[in-house]
Amino acid sequence: MDGILLDMQRNLVIGAVIAVILAAIAVPSLLDEGPDPVQPPTTPDAVASQSADTPVEPAVQALAQDSLRGPLTGERFYFALPDRFANGDPTNDTAGVEGGRREHGFDPTDSGFYHGGDLAGVTEQLDYLQGLGITAIWLTPVMTNQWVQGGQGQESASYHGYWITDFTSVDPHLGTDEDLATLVEEAHDRDLKVFLDIITNHTADVIDYEEGQYSYRPLGEAPYTPFLAPGDETVKVPDWLNDPQRYHNRGNSTFEGESSLYGDFFGLDDLATEQAEVVEGMIDIYSRWVDTGVDGFRIDTTKHVNIEFWEDFGPAILEYAAAQGNDDFFMFGEVYDANPVVMSSYTTTGRLPATLDFGFQSSATAYASGESAAALADFYAQDDWYTDADSNAYALPTFVGNHDMGRLSSFLQGPALIHDDLLERVEFGHTLMFLTRGQPVVYYGDEQGLIGRGGDKDARQDLFATQVEQYAEEELVLGEPGARDRFDTTAPLYQHLVELSALRQEHPALADGAQIHRGAAQGAGVFAFSRLLPQDGIEYLVAVNNDVTPAETTFTTFSADTQFEPVYGAAVGITSGSDMQVSIKVPPLSAVVYRATSAAPGVDAPLEIAITSAELTGRAEISAQVTTEGSAEGTAMADVGMPFVQVTFAARAVGAEQWQVLGTDDQPPFRVFPDAAALPEGQIELVAVAKPLSGPVASATTTSTVVRPP
């Protein structure tokens, strides 16, 4: 939701602040508010090795497993603002309220007010969504909002859903609780899931300060004195939300340091999420929304809530959902940061199933713009930060544009002006998203070629016939501007996404398969990788080319003298040589996919594995190197001729019997970054267990020391 609130009460030159924030994110290099990734070791690395011909004790053998794939890792999301998607019931446009837009928030001619879209409209367009090939619908918050905020001349409405007052009911602009139930039921009848955006960080801006000042007050100072205007004493539901003591009351966040957690998000009332009453209250609120039958939550402003809250909230909601029979309930948090070290802390220490992958958005946009393939490879090399016992990077929803930042098409206009290839670049960006790890998210309207003029309101066009002059005049990727319904199933980008969805559906390895790096150009050019499901061992070869000229690449596969049939973007198959190498030609701004006609082999020679660890404090690296017996010295899994192997890491206190699994890595370099706070303090044993597609496992153990920070 960062960047969503441009017009707030007590205007404090917020527009300039938002512009800075959005600019920092649209240029994909967000590295803020993160802990030091790896603490410098204070003791020499502990290294131990062992080969597969050394007997592996049964307790260690049992640790050999496949990399985790949770119950929801293969979805294809469609993200929409109900108010801007489709108007299925014009009778609720003003929420049943008399008066003007200041009273009910409806003004379809203003980009900052309600336009009439609703849940009934989403239900009416389920055939359109199903035809696109998506499997899950994600909607911005549907809870009842404070409809208009901002002083005279600065008004804006909560059409986006992020200014909640009643956390227990559907906003009447969007329909009724029954309308939500109908949507969920009819979506499920089509095997479509429904996800709701939720908020725990803040409520609508209701609390005021007696001091009449709103700049941030640090923790070392007394908070502001809160008060409620007459008539606002009971506006929030449940009632505990009306108690000002449940809020921090420290003024507006500067989005730096402690204020990121304790400050008001652009004036919105910041909940004291460290309080037990707030934790319990939020768990109760969203347990009720689980009861609506929805399939999961996207969690707004996750990074602005203390991580201890997530340690309680995430497991509690998942446990409640499972008790209601929904074992597949899934949640992902909005951590507005492109740094995997920062984002991953919420899925490891914070115990959420996933975060929205801003790192992918940053790297994919840069690559689609023509920047280095090697930089994209460097991004994926950081996936190990997400690996732990119950989550990893394969569950991350990936995206290329959204309601805050803007659309991919708007980011690519610069390079496209040079080469006159905007359609090709937008298609290419989505192709990359569908072929790589993670769960792709299509932002509504991208399939119709909408561009917009930037982020926030400039990226929230109506998909039904708009009455906003700016929206009607805007250029499209392809086609003519104008005020008309835009649900054209023959649109080129719609059809491109249909093709990509069908490809991913037909070939599950492209959704859930291990992603193994094969090669990347230092500048613009080919990024190549393999995808493989260990259940069948069939290797897929994928090569994407962001250059404006054709490119050829040569890399090693898992199999010698093996035929690979064309699956996408190519007409003729290829065959690997006796050295396991293939050469692939890739057209400009395109991708090619090949599928092996036989499974990759297991191991012929015994595996050898070495495990390395320094003193463990913070999130420190534990790594393993796997080789085959008799291979050239230094030849590791990333090198020529090495088989597919997965490595599981585990720990236990010295003298203990039970191993604690730390995670399984399915691509080299093999490593995990556990939170030392979750490990036994003092001296521990570590083990790494290498599992090939077939053949004996190998393991190695070492000892290390866990040191708590002072």
Side-chain angles (χ1 to χ4, degrees):
M1 176 183 164
D2 293 342
I4 197 169
L5 309 169
L6 295 181
D7 301 303
M8 306 294 298
Q9 289 179 331
R10 306 186 291 272
N11 181 13
L12 300 174
V13 199
I14 287 171
V17 176
I18 293 174
V20 171
I21 293 173
L22 289 176
I25 292 166
V27 178
S29 57
L30 307 173
L31 302 172
D32 66 324
E33 297 185 42
D36 188 8
V38 181
Q39 300 294 331
T42 57
T43 61
D45 289 355
V47 183
S49 63
Q50 188 171 327
S51 67
D53 55 5
T54 302
V56 178
E57 62 179 82
V60 172
Q61 179 92 23
L63 296 173
Q65 56 189 263
D66 292 336
S67 173
L68 175 73
R69 297 296 182 273
L72 265 72
T73 55
E75 301 302 322
R76 301 181 293 275
F77 286 86
Y78 186 89
F79 173 39
L81 286 74
D83 179 68
R84 302 298 166 90
F85 183 67
N87 190 346
D89 183 7
T91 65
N92 62 31
D93 288 354
T94 65
V97 172
E98 299 291 335
R101 72 176 199 168
R102 180 76 197 185
E103 286 70 40
H104 51 59
F106 177 70
D107 182 352
T109 68
D110 190 317
S111 64
F113 280 75
Y114 284 97
H115 289 180
D118 48 34
L119 295 174
V122 178
T123 302
E124 282 185 359
Q125 295 298 332
L126 286 177
D127 287 345
Y128 170 84
L129 296 174
Q130 187 176 24
L132 187 61
I134 60 99
T135 62
I137 305 162
W138 155 27
L139 302 175
T140 49
V142 302
M143 299 82 182
T144 299
N145 274 230
Q146 179 164 274
W147 295 334
V148 180
Q149 294 186 171
Q152 190 68 34
Q154 300 293 325
E155 303 96 334
S156 185
S158 57
Y159 65 91
H160 42 68
Y162 294 101
W163 302 344
I164 301 175
T165 52
D166 184 348
F167 283 75
T168 67
S169 65
V170 171
D171 193 293
H173 288 94
L174 304 181
T176 64
D177 294 351
E178 290 73 22
D179 289 332
L180 177 61
T182 298
L183 170 61
V184 171
E185 180 180 1
E186 294 198 18
H188 286 175
D189 287 344
R190 292 170 169 81
D191 291 326
L192 298 175
K193 296 178 175 64
V194 178
F195 284 73
L196 298 182
D197 224 321
I198 67 169
I199 308 168
T200 65
N201 177 66
H202 57 260
T203 70
D205 182 11
V206 177
I207 296 173
D208 205 345
Y209 302 144
E210 290 184 1
E211 292 81 356
Q213 299 175 9
Y214 308 101
S215 59
Y216 182 73
R217 280 190 174 180
L219 293 178
E221 301 178 12
Y224 288 108
T225 307
F227 76 93
L228 297 169
D232 285 344
E233 296 89 349
T234 60
V235 71
K236 296 179 184 178
V237 181
D239 185 61
W240 64 266
L241 290 165
N242 293 303
D243 182 356
Q245 299 309 309
R246 298 290 166 255
Y247 300 83
H248 287 129
N249 302 313
R250 293 194 168 274
N252 290 319
S253 174
T254 65
F255 302 101
E256 294 181 354
E258 69 176 50
S259 80
S260 184
L261 292 178
Y262 298 99
D264 291 343
F265 188 84
F266 295 107
L268 297 170
D269 299 346
D270 192 67
L271 281 157
T273 49
E274 70 278 7
Q275 295 181 7
E277 296 88 346
V278 176
V279 177
E280 294 166 4
M282 282 295 165
I283 290 172
D284 181 65
I285 285 171
Y286 289 114
S287 293
R288 297 183 187 182
W289 287 96
V290 171
D291 291 337
T292 65
V294 297
D295 301 279
F297 299 145
R298 177 267 195 183
I299 307 170
D300 185 65
T301 49
T302 298
K303 71 178 290 185
H304 301 297
V305 174
N306 58 302
I307 204 158
E308 295 82 4
F309 175 91
W310 301 121
E311 293 180 65
D312 291 331
F313 180 86
I317 294 297
L318 294 177
E319 180 180 349
Y320 181 83
Q324 311 313 305
N326 190 348
D327 294 328
D328 296 344
F329 200 85
F330 180 71
M331 297 184 291
F332 54 102
E334 179 205 30
V335 180
Y336 214 136
D337 197 306
N339 185 351
V341 180
V342 177
M343 289 187 290
S344 66
S345 65
Y346 294 87
T347 64
T348 52
T349 303
R351 303 186 68 187
L352 291 174
T355 57
L356 194 59
D357 196 352
F358 282 87
F360 174 83
Q361 190 282 331
S362 171
S363 299
T365 300
Y367 184 62
S369 299
E371 296 186 20
S372 168
L376 182 62
D378 290 342
F379 159 71
Y380 283 114
Q382 299 180 80
D383 277 357
D384 295 335
W385 284 96
Y386 294 96
T387 302
D388 66 6
D390 59 9
S391 62
N392 57 35
Y394 291 97
L396 303 180
T398 54
F399 70 105
V400 289
N402 69 12
H403 60 322
D404 290 334
M405 306 167 70
R407 301 182 182 276
L408 176 65
S409 51
S410 68
F411 303 147
L412 298 179
Q413 288 185 98
L417 283 175
I418 299 172
H419 302 289
D420 192 24
D421 55 8
L422 182 58
L423 174 62
E424 290 80 5
R425 287 185 186 273
V426 173
E427 288 181 337
F428 179 75
H430 284 89
T431 300
L432 178 69
M433 180 170 67
F434 273 74
L435 295 180
T436 51
R437 66 99 181 112
Q439 306 189 79
V441 179
V442 174
Y443 182 45
Y444 89 102
D446 282 358
E447 78 279 10
Q448 295 297 329
L450 302 184
I451 299 176
R453 301 180 184 179
D456 200 82
K457 291 183 290 187
D458 288 337
R460 301 173 188 171
Q461 297 91 338
D462 302 312
L463 217 54
F464 54 100
T466 188
Q467 297 181 50
V468 177
E469 184 177 359
Q470 172 187 321
Y471 293 164
E473 294 175 349
E474 288 174 347
E475 296 294 324
L476 281 75
V477 173
L478 195 68
E480 296 299 321
R484 64 174 68 91
D485 289 351
R486 296 195 179 275
F487 298 98
D488 181 4
T489 59
T490 67
L493 283 166
Y494 183 98
Q495 286 298 314
H496 182 65
L497 291 168
V498 168
E499 183 181 21
L500 292 174
S501 293
L503 177 68
R504 198 170 167 104
Q505 179 70 28
E506 184 179 353
H507 301 279
L510 298 178
D512 272 344
Q515 180 170 310
I516 300 96
H517 175 69
R518 294 304 191 188
Q522 289 302 308
V526 173
F527 173 60
F529 52 96
S530 294
R531 304 296 306 268
L532 181 147
L533 285 172
Q535 292 86 342
D536 61 22
I538 299 298
E539 182 177 9
Y540 286 74
L541 308 179
V542 184
V544 293
N545 177 21
N546 72 338
D547 207 346
V548 294
T549 59
E552 184 171 1
T553 185
T554 300
F555 57 85
T556 302
T557 70
F558 288 126
S559 305
D561 303 316
T562 297
Q563 292 183 339
F564 290 83
E565 60 188 11
V567 169
Y568 179 81
V572 180
I574 56 176
T575 302
S576 61
S578 59
D579 59 358
M580 302 185 182
Q581 291 196 334
V582 294
S583 292
I584 295 179
K585 295 180 180 179
V586 192
L589 294 176
S590 298
V592 294
V593 181
Y594 297 88
R595 178 184 184 273
T597 56
S598 59
V603 295
D604 294 326
L607 293 174
E608 294 183 341
I609 182 169
I611 182 171
T612 304
S613 173
E615 181 180 272
L616 298 175
T617 184
R619 294 187 66 190
E621 179 179 347
I622 304 171
S623 63
Q625 185 178 52
V626 181
T627 60
T628 55
E629 191 174 81
S631 61
E633 183 176 354
T635 299
M637 286 296 306
D639 299 316
V640 173
M642 297 304 298
F644 177 75
V645 170
Q646 302 177 88
V647 176
T648 299
F649 297 87
R652 67 183 178 187
V654 171
E657 293 186 5
Q658 191 72 29
W659 288 102
Q660 174 186 343
V661 174
L662 304 179
T664 301
D665 194 2
D666 58 10
Q667 61 171 321
F670 300 109
R671 55 187 183 167
V672 290
F673 295 88
D675 184 353
L679 298 174
E681 189 170 6
Q683 193 172 35
I684 63 170
E685 280 186 277
L686 297 170
V687 65
V689 186
K691 178 189 177 185
L693 284 174
S694 63
V697 304
S699 69
T701 59
T702 189
T703 58
S704 185
T705 302
V706 175
V707 178
R708 298 279 188 264

